[in-house]
Amino acid sequence: MDVNQLKSVYFIGAGGIGMSALVRYFLSKGKKVGGYDRTPSELTEKLIEEGAQIHYKESVELIAPDFLDAESTLIIFTPAIPENHAELQYFRNHGFTIQKRAQVLGMLTRSGKGLCAAGTHGKTTTTSMISLCFIEAGLDPNIQVGAQLKQINGNYRVGNSDYFILEACEYVESYLSFHPKTEIVLNIDNDHLDYFGNLENIITSFEHYVKLLP
């Protein structure tokens, strides 16, 4: 699906730190944005103030008409959402394009200059430091970082360049959906063993990540 042809974007799990950055990205591009989250938070309430249509009850009936056209609406969900979620099932049964957050970031980096910072420790700090260097250098980057960065007043920045600076998370191998032109690997350590099982599998995953480079 071509991002430029989208009219609407619907998020299932809109209130997460990473998902909220994409909510704001698409709002900044003039798209109609809505979604579901399980509980209200300061972050979801701020997203509503900024123009997102978010509700907190799992219900197909609460999906606004703006998000019911499968031809012009992209559905984005977080892996934390169970497979039997009523809204997710509805969109799957009605032919919508459905992608995980990492896939959408990959779509955005495919045509740009993606700089992705990975590692089991220090990703957020490093992504933030690089982002500020690019801003100070006048390169006007797009930024997605997994924390509230005070210098950009949030966890995202929409720039007017083809630079995308991303925090690349190894959990459930999300980073393998990216299309980086430059990569950073800070370190490899035992982490997310509920998914990887052992250090050898983590190392193998990072090998696959490095091979994404053109």
Side-chain angles (χ1 to χ4, degrees), residues 103-169:
Q103 292 174 300
V104 177
L105 289 174
M107 183 169 58
L108 296 176
T109 58
R110 184 177 291 113
S111 59
K113 298 177 182 176
L115 191 159
C116 301
T120 44
H121 311 289
K123 292 184 293 292
T124 300
T125 302
T126 304
T127 304
S128 299
M129 293 169 68
I130 294 169
S131 297
L132 297 181
C133 289
F134 269 65
I135 291 170
E136 290 298 316
L139 297 174
D140 201 13
N142 299 274
I143 298 165
Q144 298 269 328
V145 60
Q148 298 292 322
L149 182 57
K150 67 180 182 179
Q151 289 88 347
I152 61 173
N153 297 314
N155 56 349
Y156 89 109
R157 179 183 191 272
V158 178
N160 191 29
S161 75
D162 56 359
Y163 289 107
F164 280 84
I165 302 174
L166 304 174
E167 180 173 336
C169 184

Short mmCIF file of all heavy atoms in Angstrom, two decimals, residues 103-169:
data_model
loop_
_atom_site.label_atom_id
_atom_site.label_comp_id
_atom_site.label_asym_id
_atom_site.label_seq_id
_atom_site.Cartn_x
_atom_site.Cartn_y
_atom_site.Cartn_z
N GLN A 103 6.58 -3.14 10.39
CA GLN A 103 6.40 -3.20 8.94
C GLN A 103 6.14 -1.81 8.36
O GLN A 103 6.61 -1.49 7.27
CB GLN A 103 5.24 -4.13 8.60
CG GLN A 103 5.50 -5.60 8.90
CD GLN A 103 4.26 -6.45 8.68
OE1 GLN A 103 3.23 -6.26 9.32
NE2 GLN A 103 4.36 -7.38 7.75
N VAL A 104 5.39 -1.00 9.10
CA VAL A 104 5.11 0.36 8.64
C VAL A 104 6.39 1.20 8.64
O VAL A 104 6.66 1.94 7.70
CB VAL A 104 4.02 1.02 9.52
CG1 VAL A 104 3.78 2.47 9.08
CG2 VAL A 104 2.73 0.22 9.44
N LEU A 105 7.19 1.06 9.69
CA LEU A 105 8.47 1.77 9.72
C LEU A 105 9.35 1.32 8.56
O LEU A 105 10.06 2.12 7.94
CB LEU A 105 9.18 1.54 11.04
CG LEU A 105 8.56 2.22 12.27
CD1 LEU A 105 9.28 1.79 13.54
CD2 LEU A 105 8.60 3.74 12.12
N GLY A 106 9.30 0.03 8.26
CA GLY A 106 10.05 -0.49 7.12
C GLY A 106 9.59 0.14 5.82
O GLY A 106 10.40 0.48 4.95
N MET A 107 8.27 0.30 5.69
CA MET A 107 7.71 0.92 4.50
C MET A 107 8.19 2.36 4.36
O MET A 107 8.52 2.82 3.26
CB MET A 107 6.18 0.87 4.60
CG MET A 107 5.41 1.41 3.41
SD MET A 107 3.65 1.02 3.52
CE MET A 107 3.21 1.78 5.09
N LEU A 108 8.28 3.08 5.49
CA LEU A 108 8.73 4.46 5.46
C LEU A 108 10.22 4.59 5.15
O LEU A 108 10.65 5.56 4.53
CB LEU A 108 8.41 5.14 6.80
CG LEU A 108 6.93 5.27 7.17
CD1 LEU A 108 6.77 5.86 8.55
CD2 LEU A 108 6.18 6.10 6.14
N THR A 109 11.01 3.59 5.58
CA THR A 109 12.46 3.66 5.36
C THR A 109 12.87 3.14 3.98
O THR A 109 14.00 3.39 3.55
CB THR A 109 13.23 2.87 6.43
OG1 THR A 109 12.78 1.50 6.42
CG2 THR A 109 13.00 3.46 7.81
N ARG A 110 11.97 2.45 3.31
CA ARG A 110 12.35 1.81 2.04
C ARG A 110 12.85 2.82 1.01
O ARG A 110 13.82 2.57 0.29
CB ARG A 110 11.15 1.03 1.48
CG ARG A 110 11.49 0.24 0.19
CD ARG A 110 10.31 -0.56 -0.30
NE ARG A 110 10.00 -1.66 0.60
CZ ARG A 110 8.89 -1.76 1.34
NH1 ARG A 110 7.99 -0.80 1.30
NH2 ARG A 110 8.68 -2.79 2.12
N SER A 111 12.19 3.96 0.94
CA SER A 111 12.55 4.94 -0.07
C SER A 111 13.47 6.04 0.46
O SER A 111 13.87 6.94 -0.29
CB SER A 111 11.29 5.59 -0.65
OG SER A 111 10.55 6.22 0.38
N GLY A 112 13.79 5.99 1.75
CA GLY A 112 14.62 7.04 2.34
C GLY A 112 15.97 6.53 2.78
O GLY A 112 16.41 5.45 2.40
N LYS A 113 16.64 7.35 3.57
CA LYS A 113 17.95 7.00 4.12
C LYS A 113 17.74 6.62 5.59
O LYS A 113 17.77 7.47 6.47
CB LYS A 113 18.91 8.17 3.98
CG LYS A 113 19.19 8.58 2.54
CD LYS A 113 20.08 9.81 2.48
CE LYS A 113 20.32 10.24 1.04
NZ LYS A 113 21.12 11.49 0.95
N GLY A 114 17.52 5.34 5.82
CA GLY A 114 17.25 4.87 7.17
C GLY A 114 18.53 4.63 7.95
O GLY A 114 19.43 3.91 7.50
N LEU A 115 18.63 5.25 9.12
CA LEU A 115 19.74 5.01 10.04
C LEU A 115 19.15 4.36 11.28
O LEU A 115 18.36 4.98 11.99
CB LEU A 115 20.45 6.32 10.39
CG LEU A 115 21.78 6.21 11.14
CD1 LEU A 115 22.58 7.49 10.97
CD2 LEU A 115 21.59 5.94 12.62
N CYS A 116 19.49 3.09 11.52
CA CYS A 116 18.82 2.29 12.55
C CYS A 116 19.81 1.88 13.64
O CYS A 116 20.84 1.28 13.34
CB CYS A 116 18.20 1.04 11.94
SG CYS A 116 16.99 1.40 10.64
N ALA A 117 19.47 2.22 14.88
CA ALA A 117 20.33 1.90 16.02
C ALA A 117 19.79 0.69 16.76
O ALA A 117 18.67 0.73 17.29
CB ALA A 117 20.43 3.10 16.96
N ALA A 118 20.55 -0.38 16.81
CA ALA A 118 20.13 -1.62 17.45
C ALA A 118 21.12 -2.02 18.54
O ALA A 118 22.22 -1.49 18.64
CB ALA A 118 20.00 -2.75 16.42
N GLY A 119 20.72 -2.99 19.35
CA GLY A 119 21.53 -3.48 20.45
C GLY A 119 20.63 -3.80 21.63
O GLY A 119 19.55 -3.23 21.77
N THR A 120 21.06 -4.70 22.47
CA THR A 120 20.21 -5.09 23.60
C THR A 120 20.22 -4.05 24.71
O THR A 120 19.36 -4.07 25.59
CB THR A 120 20.64 -6.46 24.16
OG1 THR A 120 22.07 -6.52 24.26
CG2 THR A 120 20.19 -7.58 23.23
N HIS A 121 21.17 -3.12 24.69
CA HIS A 121 21.20 -2.04 25.68
C HIS A 121 21.61 -0.74 24.99
O HIS A 121 22.50 -0.74 24.14
CB HIS A 121 22.19 -2.33 26.81
CG HIS A 121 22.04 -3.69 27.42
ND1 HIS A 121 20.98 -4.03 28.20
CD2 HIS A 121 22.83 -4.79 27.33
CE1 HIS A 121 21.11 -5.29 28.58
NE2 HIS A 121 22.23 -5.77 28.06
N GLY A 122 20.98 0.37 25.35
CA GLY A 122 21.44 1.68 24.92
C GLY A 122 20.84 2.22 23.64
O GLY A 122 21.28 3.28 23.16
N LYS A 123 19.85 1.54 23.09
CA LYS A 123 19.27 1.98 21.81
C LYS A 123 18.66 3.38 21.91
O LYS A 123 18.87 4.23 21.04
CB LYS A 123 18.17 1.01 21.36
CG LYS A 123 18.65 -0.36 20.96
CD LYS A 123 17.50 -1.20 20.45
CE LYS A 123 16.47 -1.55 21.50
NZ LYS A 123 17.00 -2.46 22.53
N THR A 124 17.88 3.61 22.96
CA THR A 124 17.17 4.88 23.08
C THR A 124 18.15 6.04 23.23
O THR A 124 18.03 7.08 22.57
CB THR A 124 16.21 4.85 24.28
OG1 THR A 124 15.26 3.80 24.09
CG2 THR A 124 15.47 6.16 24.42
N THR A 125 19.15 5.86 24.09
CA THR A 125 20.14 6.90 24.31
C THR A 125 20.89 7.21 23.02
O THR A 125 21.08 8.38 22.65
CB THR A 125 21.13 6.47 25.40
OG1 THR A 125 20.41 6.21 26.60
CG2 THR A 125 22.16 7.57 25.66
N THR A 126 21.32 6.18 22.33
CA THR A 126 22.11 6.38 21.11
C THR A 126 21.28 7.01 20.01
O THR A 126 21.74 7.92 19.31
CB THR A 126 22.70 5.03 20.64
OG1 THR A 126 23.47 4.46 21.70
CG2 THR A 126 23.58 5.22 19.41
N THR A 127 20.05 6.53 19.84
CA THR A 127 19.16 7.11 18.83
C THR A 127 18.94 8.59 19.12
O THR A 127 18.95 9.43 18.21
CB THR A 127 17.81 6.37 18.81
OG1 THR A 127 18.02 4.98 18.59
CG2 THR A 127 16.91 6.92 17.71
N SER A 128 18.77 8.92 20.40
CA SER A 128 18.55 10.32 20.78
C SER A 128 19.77 11.18 20.47
O SER A 128 19.66 12.30 19.95
CB SER A 128 18.22 10.41 22.27
OG SER A 128 17.04 9.69 22.59
N MET A 129 20.95 10.67 20.80
CA MET A 129 22.19 11.43 20.56
C MET A 129 22.40 11.69 19.07
O MET A 129 22.73 12.80 18.65
CB MET A 129 23.38 10.69 21.16
CG MET A 129 23.36 10.62 22.68
SD MET A 129 24.59 9.47 23.35
CE MET A 129 26.11 10.29 22.92
N ILE A 130 22.20 10.65 18.26
CA ILE A 130 22.37 10.80 16.82
C ILE A 130 21.35 11.78 16.26
O ILE A 130 21.66 12.62 15.41
CB ILE A 130 22.25 9.43 16.12
CG1 ILE A 130 23.40 8.52 16.53
CG2 ILE A 130 22.20 9.59 14.59
CD1 ILE A 130 23.22 7.09 16.10
N SER A 131 20.12 11.69 16.75
CA SER A 131 19.06 12.57 16.28
C SER A 131 19.43 14.03 16.51
O SER A 131 19.26 14.89 15.63
CB SER A 131 17.75 12.25 17.00
OG SER A 131 17.31 10.94 16.70
N LEU A 132 19.94 14.33 17.70
CA LEU A 132 20.31 15.71 18.01
C LEU A 132 21.49 16.18 17.16
O LEU A 132 21.54 17.35 16.77
CB LEU A 132 20.63 15.84 19.50
CG LEU A 132 19.47 15.56 20.45
CD1 LEU A 132 19.90 15.75 21.90
CD2 LEU A 132 18.28 16.44 20.14
N CYS A 133 22.41 15.28 16.87
CA CYS A 133 23.52 15.64 15.97
C CYS A 133 22.99 16.03 14.59
O CYS A 133 23.43 17.02 13.99
CB CYS A 133 24.50 14.48 15.85
SG CYS A 133 25.50 14.17 17.34
N PHE A 134 22.04 15.25 14.08
CA PHE A 134 21.48 15.54 12.76
C PHE A 134 20.71 16.86 12.76
O PHE A 134 20.79 17.63 11.81
CB PHE A 134 20.56 14.39 12.32
CG PHE A 134 21.25 13.31 11.55
CD1 PHE A 134 22.23 12.53 12.15
CD2 PHE A 134 20.94 13.05 10.23
CE1 PHE A 134 22.88 11.53 11.45
CE2 PHE A 134 21.57 12.05 9.52
CZ PHE A 134 22.55 11.29 10.13
N ILE A 135 19.97 17.11 13.84
CA ILE A 135 19.23 18.37 13.93
C ILE A 135 20.18 19.55 13.96
O ILE A 135 20.01 20.54 13.24
CB ILE A 135 18.32 18.36 15.18
CG1 ILE A 135 17.17 17.35 15.00
CG2 ILE A 135 17.75 19.75 15.44
CD1 ILE A 135 16.37 17.11 16.27
N GLU A 136 21.22 19.45 14.81
CA GLU A 136 22.18 20.55 14.92
C GLU A 136 22.96 20.77 13.62
O GLU A 136 23.39 21.89 13.32
CB GLU A 136 23.15 20.27 16.07
CG GLU A 136 22.53 20.36 17.46
CD GLU A 136 22.00 21.76 17.75
OE1 GLU A 136 22.71 22.74 17.44
OE2 GLU A 136 20.87 21.87 18.27
N ALA A 137 23.10 19.69 12.84
CA ALA A 137 23.81 19.81 11.56
C ALA A 137 22.90 20.35 10.46
O ALA A 137 23.34 20.52 9.31
CB ALA A 137 24.36 18.45 11.14
N GLY A 138 21.63 20.63 10.79
CA GLY A 138 20.71 21.18 9.81
C GLY A 138 20.21 20.20 8.79
O GLY A 138 19.77 20.58 7.69
N LEU A 139 20.21 18.89 9.12
CA LEU A 139 19.81 17.86 8.16
C LEU A 139 18.33 17.53 8.22
O LEU A 139 17.83 16.74 7.42
CB LEU A 139 20.65 16.59 8.39
CG LEU A 139 22.15 16.77 8.14
CD1 LEU A 139 22.91 15.51 8.52
CD2 LEU A 139 22.41 17.13 6.69
N ASP A 140 17.60 18.12 9.17
CA ASP A 140 16.14 18.04 9.24
C ASP A 140 15.61 16.61 9.16
O ASP A 140 14.80 16.26 8.30
CB ASP A 140 15.53 18.89 8.12
CG ASP A 140 14.08 19.28 8.40
OD1 ASP A 140 13.62 19.10 9.55
OD2 ASP A 140 13.41 19.74 7.47
N PRO A 141 16.04 15.73 10.09
CA PRO A 141 15.68 14.31 10.00
C PRO A 141 14.27 14.00 10.49
O PRO A 141 13.68 14.74 11.27
CB PRO A 141 16.70 13.64 10.93
CG PRO A 141 16.91 14.69 12.00
CD PRO A 141 16.88 16.01 11.26
N ASN A 142 13.75 12.87 10.01
CA ASN A 142 12.59 12.22 10.62
C ASN A 142 13.12 11.33 11.74
O ASN A 142 14.14 10.65 11.56
CB ASN A 142 11.85 11.36 9.59
CG ASN A 142 11.31 12.18 8.43
OD1 ASN A 142 10.23 12.73 8.50
ND2 ASN A 142 12.09 12.26 7.35
N ILE A 143 12.44 11.31 12.88
CA ILE A 143 12.95 10.60 14.06
C ILE A 143 11.84 9.77 14.69
O ILE A 143 10.70 10.24 14.84
CB ILE A 143 13.50 11.59 15.11
CG1 ILE A 143 14.68 12.39 14.53
CG2 ILE A 143 13.93 10.86 16.37
CD1 ILE A 143 15.05 13.61 15.36
N GLN A 144 12.17 8.52 15.05
CA GLN A 144 11.29 7.69 15.87
C GLN A 144 12.15 7.10 16.99
O GLN A 144 13.08 6.34 16.72
CB GLN A 144 10.69 6.55 15.04
CG GLN A 144 9.81 6.99 13.89
CD GLN A 144 8.36 7.11 14.29
OE1 GLN A 144 7.86 6.38 15.14
NE2 GLN A 144 7.65 8.02 13.65
N VAL A 145 11.85 7.46 18.23
CA VAL A 145 12.66 7.01 19.36
C VAL A 145 11.74 6.52 20.47
O VAL A 145 10.62 7.03 20.64
CB VAL A 145 13.59 8.15 19.85
CG1 VAL A 145 12.79 9.36 20.32
CG2 VAL A 145 14.54 7.68 20.94
N GLY A 146 12.19 5.54 21.23
CA GLY A 146 11.34 4.91 22.22
C GLY A 146 11.31 5.59 23.57
O GLY A 146 11.32 4.92 24.61
N ALA A 147 11.30 6.91 23.58
CA ALA A 147 11.20 7.67 24.83
C ALA A 147 10.81 9.10 24.48
O ALA A 147 10.86 9.50 23.31
CB ALA A 147 12.53 7.67 25.57
N GLN A 148 10.42 9.85 25.48
CA GLN A 148 10.10 11.26 25.27
C GLN A 148 11.41 12.06 25.29
O GLN A 148 12.07 12.15 26.32
CB GLN A 148 9.16 11.75 26.38
CG GLN A 148 7.82 11.04 26.42
CD GLN A 148 6.95 11.35 25.21
OE1 GLN A 148 6.93 12.46 24.71
NE2 GLN A 148 6.22 10.35 24.74
N LEU A 149 11.78 12.58 24.15
CA LEU A 149 13.02 13.33 24.00
C LEU A 149 12.69 14.82 24.08
O LEU A 149 12.01 15.36 23.20
CB LEU A 149 13.69 12.99 22.67
CG LEU A 149 15.03 13.65 22.35
CD1 LEU A 149 16.06 13.35 23.42
CD2 LEU A 149 15.52 13.18 20.98
N LYS A 150 13.16 15.48 25.13
CA LYS A 150 12.70 16.85 25.40
C LYS A 150 13.07 17.82 24.29
O LYS A 150 12.37 18.80 24.05
CB LYS A 150 13.22 17.34 26.75
CG LYS A 150 14.73 17.54 26.83
CD LYS A 150 15.14 18.04 28.21
CE LYS A 150 16.64 18.30 28.31
NZ LYS A 150 17.03 18.80 29.65
N GLN A 151 14.17 17.56 23.60
CA GLN A 151 14.61 18.49 22.56
C GLN A 151 13.68 18.48 21.34
O GLN A 151 13.71 19.40 20.53
CB GLN A 151 16.03 18.17 22.12
CG GLN A 151 17.08 18.51 23.16
CD GLN A 151 17.33 17.38 24.14
OE1 GLN A 151 16.57 16.41 24.21
NE2 GLN A 151 18.42 17.47 24.88
N ILE A 152 12.85 17.43 21.20
CA ILE A 152 11.88 17.41 20.10
C ILE A 152 10.45 17.36 20.65
O ILE A 152 9.50 17.13 19.89
CB ILE A 152 12.14 16.23 19.13
CG1 ILE A 152 12.02 14.88 19.84
CG2 ILE A 152 13.50 16.36 18.47
CD1 ILE A 152 12.09 13.68 18.89
N ASN A 153 10.34 17.54 21.97
CA ASN A 153 9.03 17.58 22.63
C ASN A 153 8.19 16.34 22.39
O ASN A 153 6.98 16.40 22.16
CB ASN A 153 8.24 18.83 22.17
CG ASN A 153 8.94 20.11 22.57
OD1 ASN A 153 9.39 20.26 23.71
ND2 ASN A 153 9.06 21.04 21.63
N GLY A 154 8.84 15.18 22.42
CA GLY A 154 8.08 13.95 22.23
C GLY A 154 8.97 12.81 21.81
O GLY A 154 10.19 12.82 22.03
N ASN A 155 8.35 11.82 21.17
CA ASN A 155 9.07 10.62 20.76
C ASN A 155 9.19 10.49 19.25
O ASN A 155 9.56 9.44 18.73
CB ASN A 155 8.41 9.37 21.35
CG ASN A 155 6.94 9.26 20.95
OD1 ASN A 155 6.35 10.20 20.42
ND2 ASN A 155 6.34 8.12 21.23
N TYR A 156 8.81 11.56 18.55
CA TYR A 156 8.92 11.52 17.09
C TYR A 156 9.20 12.93 16.58
O TYR A 156 8.96 13.93 17.26
CB TYR A 156 7.63 11.00 16.46
CG TYR A 156 6.63 12.11 16.18
CD1 TYR A 156 6.36 12.52 14.89
CD2 TYR A 156 6.01 12.78 17.23
CE1 TYR A 156 5.49 13.56 14.64
CE2 TYR A 156 5.13 13.81 16.99
CZ TYR A 156 4.87 14.21 15.70
OH TYR A 156 4.01 15.25 15.46
N ARG A 157 9.70 12.98 15.38
CA ARG A 157 9.86 14.25 14.68
C ARG A 157 9.66 14.00 13.20
O ARG A 157 10.20 13.03 12.65
CB ARG A 157 11.26 14.82 14.92
CG ARG A 157 11.53 16.15 14.22
CD ARG A 157 12.98 16.59 14.45
NE ARG A 157 13.22 17.96 14.02
CZ ARG A 157 13.58 18.31 12.77
NH1 ARG A 157 13.74 17.37 11.84
NH2 ARG A 157 13.78 19.58 12.47
N VAL A 158 8.88 14.82 12.56
CA VAL A 158 8.70 14.74 11.11
C VAL A 158 9.55 15.82 10.47
O VAL A 158 9.34 17.01 10.70
CB VAL A 158 7.22 14.91 10.71
CG1 VAL A 158 7.08 14.87 9.19
CG2 VAL A 158 6.38 13.82 11.36
N GLY A 159 10.53 15.40 9.71
CA GLY A 159 11.42 16.35 9.05
C GLY A 159 11.10 16.48 7.57
O GLY A 159 10.28 15.73 7.03
N ASN A 160 11.79 17.39 6.93
CA ASN A 160 11.60 17.62 5.51
C ASN A 160 12.82 17.12 4.74
O ASN A 160 13.40 17.82 3.91
CB ASN A 160 11.36 19.11 5.24
CG ASN A 160 10.89 19.37 3.82
OD1 ASN A 160 10.25 18.53 3.22
ND2 ASN A 160 11.22 20.54 3.28
N SER A 161 13.20 15.89 5.05
CA SER A 161 14.34 15.27 4.37
C SER A 161 14.05 13.78 4.23
O SER A 161 13.03 13.28 4.70
CB SER A 161 15.63 15.47 5.18
OG SER A 161 15.65 14.62 6.31
N ASP A 162 14.96 13.06 3.57
CA ASP A 162 14.77 11.62 3.43
C ASP A 162 15.56 10.83 4.47
O ASP A 162 15.71 9.62 4.36
CB ASP A 162 15.14 11.14 2.01
CG ASP A 162 16.55 11.52 1.60
OD1 ASP A 162 17.25 12.18 2.40
OD2 ASP A 162 16.96 11.16 0.49
N TYR A 163 16.04 11.51 5.52
CA TYR A 163 16.71 10.82 6.62
C TYR A 163 15.67 10.32 7.63
O TYR A 163 14.84 11.09 8.11
CB TYR A 163 17.69 11.75 7.34
CG TYR A 163 18.92 12.08 6.55
CD1 TYR A 163 19.09 13.34 5.99
CD2 TYR A 163 19.94 11.14 6.37
CE1 TYR A 163 20.23 13.65 5.27
CE2 TYR A 163 21.07 11.44 5.64
CZ TYR A 163 21.21 12.69 5.09
OH TYR A 163 22.34 12.99 4.38
N PHE A 164 15.73 9.02 7.96
CA PHE A 164 14.90 8.43 8.99
C PHE A 164 15.83 7.82 10.05
O PHE A 164 16.57 6.88 9.75
CB PHE A 164 13.99 7.33 8.42
CG PHE A 164 12.76 7.86 7.73
CD1 PHE A 164 12.82 8.25 6.41
CD2 PHE A 164 11.55 7.96 8.41
CE1 PHE A 164 11.70 8.75 5.77
CE2 PHE A 164 10.43 8.45 7.78
CZ PHE A 164 10.49 8.85 6.45
N ILE A 165 15.79 8.38 11.25
CA ILE A 165 16.61 7.86 12.35
C ILE A 165 15.69 7.07 13.27
O ILE A 165 14.74 7.61 13.85
CB ILE A 165 17.29 9.01 13.10
CG1 ILE A 165 18.16 9.83 12.14
CG2 ILE A 165 18.15 8.45 14.24
CD1 ILE A 165 18.77 11.06 12.75
N LEU A 166 15.96 5.78 13.40
CA LEU A 166 15.04 4.88 14.09
C LEU A 166 15.73 4.08 15.17
O LEU A 166 16.86 3.62 15.00
CB LEU A 166 14.42 3.88 13.10
CG LEU A 166 13.68 4.45 11.88
CD1 LEU A 166 13.26 3.31 10.97
CD2 LEU A 166 12.48 5.25 12.31
N GLU A 167 15.03 3.88 16.27
CA GLU A 167 15.43 2.91 17.27
C GLU A 167 14.97 1.54 16.78
O GLU A 167 13.78 1.33 16.54
CB GLU A 167 14.80 3.25 18.62
CG GLU A 167 15.16 2.28 19.71
CD GLU A 167 14.67 2.74 21.07
OE1 GLU A 167 14.46 3.97 21.25
OE2 GLU A 167 14.48 1.88 21.94
N ALA A 168 15.90 0.63 16.57
CA ALA A 168 15.61 -0.66 15.96
C ALA A 168 15.58 -1.75 17.03
O ALA A 168 16.62 -2.19 17.51
CB ALA A 168 16.65 -0.99 14.89
N CYS A 169 14.39 -2.17 17.40
CA CYS A 169 14.23 -3.13 18.50
C CYS A 169 14.31 -4.57 18.01
O CYS A 169 13.69 -4.95 17.02
CB CYS A 169 12.88 -2.89 19.19
SG CYS A 169 12.65 -3.95 20.63
#
